[in-house]
Amino acid sequence: MATIILNVPYGSLAIPRPILNRLQLTSEDLRREHWLLTDPYLLEIAIAATEKDSKRGPKTLLSFPWSPLVADPLGLVANELEQNQQREPTVLSKDCSGRVINDWGAMDKALIMEKTVKPYFEALEKECREALEQEKFALLVTLRSFFSIPQAHEKDRRRPRPQVALGTSQERTPEGLAILAGSVFRSFGLWPQLNWPLSGAPVPPSFDGSPRLKSLGLYLNKDLYLDERTGRKKETIKATIRMVKILLNLLDQELERVASLKLARAFPPKVPSSVIKAQKSTL
């Protein structure tokens, strides 16, 4: 009666050669920007957390297959770098230091969007649409990460940072789901925080009028699974995978419970008649 779709928009380092050749970035620049803007370990976490287990089938997983230096599919990074205001798909024009990294014209940008962002959105929309055709509700969970210490390009310098940030949408995130997610992480001894240092729970614009598509942002502190000094993953990545998997299963159960309640209210059982009906005579 409900299904979960996990979306990883910033987990790839891939850049097509023609684009890479025109980016005004040295090899060192490229490594630095990827370190700041993307997180391939999230894909490892997402793949393992959505696998089938003894109790539940596999969850649907989608990811943007290109680096945000090719295009920012959701516009979240561009918004944080103050390169757009609307959180919409964007081709980044500057790096994290504010230095220009390309000279794309309008036609170039349109072509990049056509070849990279459009197929990604089509796949995401297809999964959401098919889920809603088959189930009462669908929950789109966006998975991102953030540094434990604010980086130079980040405007919000507050510390310490939580271990988990839960992004919400006023229209699409049921309060019960956010409370459940927070309680799950607190039960693991972690500090969850609503909408800080990352916020929001995006959905494809084409689903703006579909209230049955719910959304939640799941944003992890890199320190949970990554040594931020060396860039190497920690052994604790296994525990992080288990936590994410448990959370997804519990969210799945909660969605099914809510869907069952709504179905029961829409089609209540008939009240037995209090009238004693005459029995047919067998004489």
Side-chain angles (χ1 to χ4, degrees):
M1 299 185 70
T3 191
I4 290 178
I5 300 166
L6 187 60
N7 177 34
V8 184
Y10 305 111
S12 176
L13 306 179
I15 302 178
R17 177 59 61 178
I19 292 179
L20 181 61
N21 290 340
R22 287 187 58 183
L23 289 179
Q24 299 169 24
L25 295 170
T26 65
S27 297
E28 182 60 32
D29 293 336
L30 189 63
R31 285 193 292 271
R32 183 189 65 249
E33 293 303 306
H34 274 158
W35 171 247
L36 295 173
L37 298 179
T38 190
D39 187 351
Y41 290 121
L42 280 180
L43 273 179
E44 181 177 342
I45 292 171
I47 290 169
T50 54
E51 288 178 345
K52 179 181 179 181
D53 57 30
S54 59
K55 296 181 179 179
R56 298 256 166 184
K59 304 284 190 304
T60 300
L61 171 62
L62 283 171
S63 64
F64 184 59
W66 304 106
S67 162
L69 294 173
V70 176
D72 178 355
L74 301 183
L76 303 180
V77 168
N79 181 261
E80 291 153 12
L81 294 176
E82 299 183 340
Q83 295 186 38
N84 76 26
Q85 299 297 321
Q86 304 302 322
R87 293 193 173 191
E88 58 189 17
T90 304
V91 174
L92 297 178
S93 59
K94 299 178 181 179
D95 66 11
C96 292
S97 68
R99 184 167 57 90
V100 173
I101 60 173
N102 63 60
D103 57 354
W104 303 125
M107 292 183 64
D108 292 325
K109 291 180 180 179
L111 180 60
I112 291 172
M113 289 288 187
E114 177 74 20
K115 297 297 184 180
T116 62
V117 174
K118 183 180 178 182
Y120 163 73
F121 265 106
E122 287 176 345
L124 189 58
E125 290 169 350
K126 178 176 179 290
E127 291 294 344
C128 292
R129 184 172 58 254
E130 290 181 354
L132 293 175
E133 288 173 354
Q134 299 174 19
E135 310 289 358
K136 181 72 174 176
F137 293 113
L139 174 64
L140 180 60
V141 179
T142 300
L143 183 63
R144 293 185 65 192
S145 64
F146 57 91
F147 288 92
S148 60
I149 298 174
Q151 301 298 295
H153 68 281
E154 297 183 83
K155 304 299 184 291
D156 192 331
R157 313 303 298 173
R158 288 177 292 171
R159 295 176 59 186
R161 286 180 158 187
Q163 289 151 315
V164 179
L166 298 170
T168 63
S169 162
Q170 185 175 357
E171 299 81 14
R172 294 190 175 276
T173 308
E175 183 179 1
L177 282 184
I179 291 174
L180 173 62
S183 65
V184 169
F185 286 112
R186 282 193 296 272
S187 72
F188 289 127
L190 301 181
W191 168 23
Q193 181 74 38
L194 281 179
N195 292 314
W196 179 71
L198 299 179
S199 64
V203 300
S206 57
F207 284 87
D208 285 346
S210 179
R212 293 192 296 123
L213 179 62
K214 309 302 181 183
S215 65
L216 179 72
L218 177 55
Y219 309 137
L220 305 177
N221 191 316
K222 291 174 184 280
D223 188 56
L224 288 172
Y225 55 87
L226 180 70
D227 185 329
E228 295 176 77
R229 295 171 301 173
T230 66
R232 296 177 180 174
K233 65 181 177 182
K234 299 177 180 177
E235 186 65 23
T236 51
I237 193 171
K238 296 177 182 178
T240 304
I241 290 168
R242 287 196 297 273
M243 287 190 296
V244 173
K245 192 174 189 68
I246 289 171
L247 174 68
L248 294 178
N249 284 341
L250 290 175
L251 291 175
D252 202 2
Q253 293 174 26
E254 177 64 10
L255 282 172
E256 289 182 358
R257 186 187 70 82
V258 172
S260 297
L261 286 174
K262 287 186 175 291
L263 187 63
R265 290 171 185 167
F267 301 99
K270 292 183 179 180
V271 178
S273 173
S274 61
V275 176
I276 301 176
K277 296 181 180 180
Q279 298 294 320
K280 290 184 179 180
S281 174
T282 57
L283 298 177

